[in-house]
């Protein structure tokens, strides 16, 4: 998965990813969403809080184990969510 794939400009894949076209991060610098580990990512997460497709984005990132900020969460936060999902499945 490339940095460009993260943004709404990404090519729509075999599954429906049309939600990307409505994302708040469309056209933004992808680097914002791939901060160095330990860096402050609160400003990026604040962008996600305004995003109309946050839940679709979050679900995609959990399913595909994406790196970076997706759906207002970091990779480590999603790891916890994945564990919680497995425990209720
Ligand atoms: S939730 Fe955040 S990372 Fe996901 S599409 Fe929206 S703005 Fe982009």
């Amino acid at each position: 998965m490339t940095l460009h794939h993260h943004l709404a400009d990404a090519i729509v894949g075999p599954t429906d990813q049309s939600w990307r076209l409505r994302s708040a991060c469309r056209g933004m610098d992808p680097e914002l969403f791939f901060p160095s580990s330990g860096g402050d990512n609160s400003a990026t997460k604040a962008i996600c809080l305004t995003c109309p497709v946050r839940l679709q984005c979050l679900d995609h990132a959990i399913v595909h184990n994406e790196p970076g900020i997706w759906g207002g969460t970091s990779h480590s936060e999603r790891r916890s969510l994945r564990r919680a999902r497995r425990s209720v499945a």
Side-chain angles (χ1 to χ4, degrees):
M1 188 70 51
T2 67
L3 291 180
H4 290 305
H5 212 98
H6 183 63
L7 295 178
D9 302 329
I11 298 167
V12 174
T15 58
D16 179 15
Q17 298 198 2
S18 57
W19 54 268
R20 292 170 184 264
L21 299 173
R22 295 183 287 122
S23 71
C25 60
R26 189 173 184 198
M28 290 184 179
D29 182 357
E31 298 290 334
L32 285 172
F33 295 85
F34 295 91
S36 55
S37 69
D40 179 15
N41 53 29
S42 57
T44 302
K45 287 179 174 179
I47 295 168
C48 295
L49 290 177
T50 71
C51 183
V53 293
R54 184 174 172 217
L55 292 181
Q56 292 97 319
C57 175
L58 177 59
D59 190 60
H60 169 90
I62 291 172
V63 169
H64 297 281
N65 195 21
E66 299 281 10
I69 305 293
W70 291 71
T73 64
S74 66
H75 186 258
S76 64
E77 289 166 337
R78 289 192 301 279
R79 195 176 314 131
S80 301
L81 290 173
R82 261 195 308 280
R83 271 198 295 269
R85 235 183 216 195
R86 275 196 298 268
S87 72
V88 295

